[in-house]
Amino acid sequence: MRRRAVLATAILAAVATPGIARAADPGPSVTKKSTTQLDAQAVYFVSYDGLVNNNSFQKNGLLTYKGYQYAAWYTDSKHAVVARRVLGATAWSTITLSHTLKSDDSHNVISMGVSKVDGRLHLNLDSHSDGFFYVKSVAGLLDNPASTAWSSAVLGAVQTSLDGVALTSQFTYPQFIVTPEGKLQLSYRVGISGNGRNALAEYDGSAWTALGEWSSSTGTYTSTHGSSTARNMYLHGIDYDVNGRLHSFFTWREQSAAVMCSGGGITNHDTGYVYSTDRGRSWRNDAGTVVGTTGSSNTVAVTDAGLVVDSLNPDHSLMNQEGQSTDSAGLPHAIISYVPGRFGQCTTDYVTDRTANGRAFHVRKSASGVWQKTEIPIALGSSQRTKLVLDKYDNAYAVLPYGRIAGASKASGYADWALLYDGAGLNAFGEVVVDEPRVKADNVLSFMYQEKSSGTTPSALHVVDFALPA
C-alpha cells in the first residue's frame, strides 16, 4: 500500500512538472548521407587566401527552398552557372549564364536570394569594390519548380543595377536575407576595406528600394600602439530570428596599420553586436539603446557605447566574416577565431600564425542575458573561416576549414565541443559554403566544397550532406 502511494505521487509529480517525463533531447551528431558532384572542372585560383566558389561569407552560394536545392558557381570557362536538384537526388540541372568572371579575385562571389512574395530567384555576382551584376528570375519559379522547366528562359538578362537602382560604384559582399513578411533584403558594403559602410536595399515584389547606409567609417580608434580614423564594419552575418528580430555580429577593421604591433597582422579588433526590431531601419546595442538609423547621418560608429560583446585588440589576427545563427528562442550565437594570448601577444604573419595557433570560439547570449564564450578545442590548421549551424534541438555545429565538423550540446551549456567528422576523403581546399535554410527544411547539414588544386588548374566542386539528430 505504501509503495503504491509513493509510485502514485511520483507519477503525479511527473505529470505536473513540465518536461520531467520527456526523454532528454539528443546531443549533436552527424551522419554522412551522400556526396554529389556539381562540376568536374570548376574555376580554381587562390586570391586573398580563398577561392571564388567557396568563400564562406557567401549568402547564399547554396540554398534550399520548397523541396529543391540551388547552387551557383563559376566553371573553368569562368561562366557563371546556376543549378538545382530535388532534395536527396543525385542529379543536378544547370543553367549557364552569359556572364563570365571579370577577374581572378576570390571576393567576386555569387550570392543567391529568394523573394517569397513573388517566388523569384535573385543573383548578385562578380564585384569587389566596383560595379555588381544582377539577375532576376521569372515570378513563381521557386514556388512551382516541378512544373517549370529549368532553362535560360526562366532567368532574366544580366543587369548592372537592381532593376534600375544603381546603389553604389563601390559594391562588395552581397548577402540576401528574407524578411518575416517574405520581402527580400540585400546587405552590402559601400567603399573599400578599411574605409567602408554597410548598407541595405529591399525588394517588395514589385521594385527595389535603397534603404541606405547604417554603419559609419569615421571616428577615432586608439590601441596601445597608435590610432586610426577610418575603418569598416565586417559582418559575421545578418539574420532574422523566429521573432522577427534582425541580428548582426561584427568586427571592426581599421585602415591604419599603426594600431597593430606588427605590419604582418590584420587590423581587426573586438567582436560587436547590434540588432534591429524594425526590419533594419534602426539599430540597437545589446542594452537596447538605438545607436544608428539606416539612411541617416546617425549610423553605427566605433565610438558608440555598448557595441562590444567580446573585447580583443588588433594583435591577435581576429578573422572577419565568420559565422552566426539564432536559436529556437531567438538568442544570438556566433563563431569567431583568432590566435589566443597563450601563443603570444603579437601575431606577425596572420596566415602563418593563424594556421599554426588559431582557435575558434563560440560566442553566445544566454537566456539570462549574459554573454558567454567557449573555445572549441580543435586547432584550425588554417587561416580561414568557420561557419555555425544550430539544429532543431539548439545543438551547435562548427563547420571548420577542410570540411571538418565539431559539435556541442545545448544540454552541456555548449561546454562539450568535440570533433564529429574529420573531413577525411573530401580533399577540401579550406572554407566551405553552408546551406543555411536546409537545416530547417529537412534536418540536413549540407555544404559545398571544392577540391584542392594548384595554380589555375580547375578542380571538382561538390555538395556533401549530413543527417542531423532526428
Side-chain angles (χ1 to χ4, degrees):
M1 194 74 175
R2 188 174 183 182
R3 182 179 177 185
R4 288 178 184 173
V6 171
L7 181 59
T9 301
I11 292 171
L12 286 171
V15 172
T17 307
I20 290 276
R22 181 180 132 188
D25 288 341
S29 66
V30 293
T31 304
K32 189 177 178 183
K33 296 179 56 170
S34 63
T35 302
T36 60
Q37 182 172 280
L38 290 168
D39 192 337
Q41 297 285 301
V43 70
Y44 187 97
F45 58 84
V46 179
S47 79
Y48 298 96
D49 206 32
L51 301 182
V52 71
N53 287 330
N54 277 94
N55 256 321
S56 66
F57 52 71
Q58 292 172 253
K59 189 179 180 80
N60 299 278
L62 185 69
L63 68 84
T64 291
Y65 188 68
K66 292 194 173 182
Y68 277 68
Q69 189 174 41
Y70 301 83
W73 71 94
Y74 299 100
T75 193
D76 63 338
S77 64
K78 298 191 176 182
H79 278 89
V81 173
V82 187
R84 74 175 185 184
R85 66 166 174 171
V86 175
L87 284 184
T90 57
W92 292 81
S93 300
T94 62
I95 298 173
T96 301
L97 303 182
S98 60
H99 182 80
T100 56
L101 181 66
K102 64 189 179 189
S103 63
D104 287 355
D105 186 331
S106 65
H107 289 75
N108 292 34
V109 299
I110 306 174
S111 292
M112 297 183 290
V114 178
S115 52
K116 293 183 178 181
V117 288
D118 59 2
R120 295 183 194 267
L121 177 68
H122 302 251
L123 293 90
N124 191 294
L125 62 157
D126 204 2
S127 61
H128 184 195
S129 301
D130 54 11
F132 63 83
F133 298 87
Y134 170 67
V135 175
K136 182 179 71 176
S137 80
V138 297
L141 173 65
L142 303 190
D143 290 332
N144 303 290
S147 59
T148 308
W150 187 248
S151 70
S152 57
V154 303
L155 298 179
V158 178
Q159 307 178 46
T160 54
S161 69
L162 300 179
D163 293 336
V165 180
L167 298 183
T168 175
S169 60
Q170 291 184 311
F171 180 101
T172 317
Y173 303 127
Q175 297 190 75
F176 285 110
I177 43 176
V178 181
T179 72
E181 299 80 20
K183 296 178 182 180
L184 184 65
Q185 294 180 323
L186 177 63
S187 168
Y188 59 98
R189 186 187 72 191
V190 178
I192 62 174
S193 176
N195 191 8
R197 288 87 59 204
N198 290 313
L200 286 171
E202 186 174 86
Y203 175 76
D204 64 3
S206 60
W208 281 97
T209 301
L211 301 182
E213 298 173 10
W214 62 270
S215 73
S216 171
S217 60
T218 60
T220 299
Y221 168 78
T222 302
S223 73
T224 57
H225 310 292
S227 296
S228 176
T229 57
R231 69 204 45 82
N232 70 278
M233 176 195 284
Y234 272 120
L235 304 184
H236 290 308
I238 184 165
D239 299 278
Y240 283 98
D241 69 16
V242 292
N243 304 310
R245 178 175 287 191
L246 184 61
H247 303 259
S248 191
F249 287 88
F250 62 88
T251 182
W252 295 107
R253 173 172 292 180
E254 298 300 322
Q255 185 180 59
S256 175
V259 301
M260 295 189 294
C261 61
S262 169
I266 46 179
T267 59
N268 298 343
H269 63 90
D270 297 319
T271 297
Y273 168 77
V274 289
Y275 70 90
S276 174
T277 57
D278 56 6
R279 308 301 187 256
R281 270 61 175 183
S282 64
W283 296 89
R284 298 173 184 267
N285 65 14
D286 184 45
T289 303
V290 174
V291 288
T293 302
T294 302
S296 77
S297 59
N298 176 32
T299 51
V300 183
V302 73
T303 52
D304 286 330
L307 299 181
V308 176
V309 297
D310 187 68
S311 179
L312 188 70
N313 66 39
D315 296 337
H316 294 274
S317 293
L318 175 68
M319 183 47 66
N320 47 283
Q321 299 163 287
E322 294 234 41
Q324 69 169 49
S325 188
T326 57
D327 64 24
S328 61
L331 294 170
H333 297 240
I335 292 288
I336 64 173
S337 68
Y338 57 87
V339 178
R342 67 179 181 271
F343 296 109
Q345 297 299 326
C346 180
T347 55
T348 58
D349 183 308
Y350 86 90
V351 172
T352 299
D353 292 339
R354 284 179 54 84
T355 302
N357 297 312
R359 298 292 187 274
F361 297 81
H362 178 205
V363 177
R364 64 207 176 275
K365 190 174 186 179
S366 72
S368 63
V370 176
W371 287 97
Q372 300 173 321
K373 182 172 74 169
T374 304
E375 180 176 334
I376 299 174
I378 299 164
L380 288 180
S382 168
S383 66
Q384 297 173 310
R385 298 172 178 89
T386 296
K387 302 307 290 183
L388 176 66
V389 169
L390 300 175
D391 69 18
K392 65 181 182 180
Y393 302 106
D394 289 335
N395 297 312
Y397 301 81
V399 188
L400 298 151
Y402 313 119
R404 297 167 295 163
I405 305 171
S409 66
K410 178 184 178 182
S412 73
Y414 305 103
D416 58 354
W417 280 99
L419 190 65
L420 304 177
Y421 177 72
D422 66 2
L426 298 184
N427 192 34
F429 166 79
E431 292 183 15
V432 303
V433 173
V434 173
D435 186 336
E436 297 175 4
R438 187 166 182 188
V439 177
K440 291 183 175 66
D442 69 349
N443 213 40
V444 169
L445 169 57
S446 185
F447 62 78
M448 181 168 66
Y449 71 93
Q450 189 160 351
E451 292 187 21
K452 295 175 185 175
S453 186
S454 60
T456 57
T457 302
S459 66
L461 186 69
H462 306 275
V463 173
V464 60
D465 299 336
F466 297 87
L468 299 177

